[in-house]
Amino acid sequence: MNIILLGPPGAGKGTQSDHLRDAYGLTKLATGDMLREAVAAGTELGKKAKDIMAAGGLVSDDIMIGIIREAIRSASKSGFILDGFPRTVPQAEALDAMLKEEGKALNHVIELKVDDEALVARISGRFSCAKCGAGYHDHFKQPKVAGVCDACGHTEFTRRADDKAETVAKRLEAYHAQTAPIIPYYKAKGALTTLDGMADIGQVTQAIDALVS
Ligand code: AP5
Ligand code: MG
Ligand code: ZN
């Protein structure tokens, strides 16, 4: 099963793709996570991406398509979830071409629809485990024991460098201008399901499970 999770910054793509990975054994391919790892490791890719991400812009299509081509080849036999890719129409077209080459197909393209005002609240309260990356929120998803990661027991957490208010505004602009046009692209193919991403985390998970299982 191969799935794309689409939606603006803070829509819940990371939260729900973790669930899909754990519940269905899919490989999670999250381009934002890959880029943040490259920035932290100081690789060539990281050096190219660092300032673009900090400014809330998009890394070039050529670079992103190259990364995903490799990642899709090494995905598990059960399939993959794309979180954060494609993000432009050229990326969506390149994905179609590479899936065809690999003899793979998309089973679901899921759009999580969330109002811009809610996104700012979600992003400004987000933090994650410094060791395993599990995601949390100051109000909407606290660890079961305060200060301790549910998944690995670690006690240090981090916040993303691009989650500052002014950068979030730029990321939202980039979403509406460059990413939203892929929604009609998938709608025209009859592949798109739009879900209410304003619902609680558990309700969104249930809606996704009802669709894919
Ligand atoms: P990326 O890491 O993909 O960031 P994003 O798209 O801005 O999305 P986020 O990760 O901020 O949000 P999310 O939808 O994953 O939400 P989450 O589940 O965490 O990309 C970062 C940057 O990398 C880009 O700006 C760009 O520069 C670059 N990049 C990446 N891919 C690229 C590409 N293909 N091409 C070019 N450039 C690329 O949820 C947010 C918070 O809300 C969490 O705290 C969570 O607990 C909480 N929450 C989740 N769901 C709910 C809910 N239903 N109710 C209440 N709270 C909720
Ligand atoms: Mg994310
Ligand atoms: Zn952890």
Side-chain angles (χ1 to χ4, degrees), residues 12-54:
K13 303 182 295 296
T15 304
Q16 300 301 337
S17 56
D18 283 353
H19 163 73
L20 285 165
R21 177 196 59 205
D22 298 342
Y24 302 94
L26 306 178
T27 302
K28 176 181 170 182
L29 303 176
T31 44
D33 291 349
M34 294 173 193
L35 291 170
R36 279 184 289 280
E37 279 164 24
V39 170
T43 63
E44 279 308 308
L45 168 65
K47 285 178 199 153
K48 283 184 192 150
K50 189 175 184 208
D51 292 345
I52 299 170
M53 293 173 80

Side-chain angles (χ1 to χ4, degrees), residues 24-179:
Y24 302 94
L26 306 178
T27 302
K28 176 181 170 182
L29 303 176
T31 44
D33 291 349
M34 294 173 193
L35 291 170
R36 279 184 289 280
E37 279 164 24
V39 170
T43 63
E44 279 308 308
L45 168 65
K47 285 178 199 153
K48 283 184 192 150
K50 189 175 184 208
D51 292 345
I52 299 170
M53 293 173 80
L58 296 188
V59 176
S60 79
D61 287 339
D62 286 354
I63 291 179
M64 299 315 301
I65 290 164
I67 292 175
I68 281 297
R69 189 183 301 279
E70 285 306 308
I72 280 179
R73 284 193 182 134
S74 51
S76 111
K77 280 210 166 65
S78 310
F80 59 77
I81 320 136
L82 285 169
D83 160 4
F85 186 98
R87 232 175 175 96
T88 63
V89 171
Q91 289 182 18
E93 289 168 347
L95 176 65
D96 278 343
M98 70 178 89
L99 288 175
K100 207 169 169 193
E101 273 169 37
E102 301 286 322
K104 296 181 178 179
L106 291 170
N107 301 87
H108 300 281
V109 179
I110 304 172
E111 178 198 8
L112 300 177
K113 212 174 165 66
V114 181
D115 299 345
D116 281 7
E117 303 80 74
L119 297 172
V120 176
R122 286 190 191 179
I123 291 175
S124 56
R126 169 169 52 193
F127 62 96
S128 62
C129 173
K131 190 173 176 198
C132 76
Y136 299 99
H137 191 279
D138 291 331
H139 305 294
F140 307 131
K141 194 187 174 198
Q142 293 161 322
K144 291 192 182 83
V145 177
V148 182
C149 175
D150 294 347
C152 78
H154 197 69
T155 54
E156 282 165 290
F157 297 88
T158 57
R159 290 184 191 255
R160 269 168 54 175
D162 61 345
D163 280 353
K164 294 191 289 281
E166 65 269 27
T167 315
V168 172
K170 292 284 178 213
R171 285 162 56 200
L172 278 172
E173 264 175 46
Y175 178 80
H176 290 299
Q178 292 168 270
T179 306

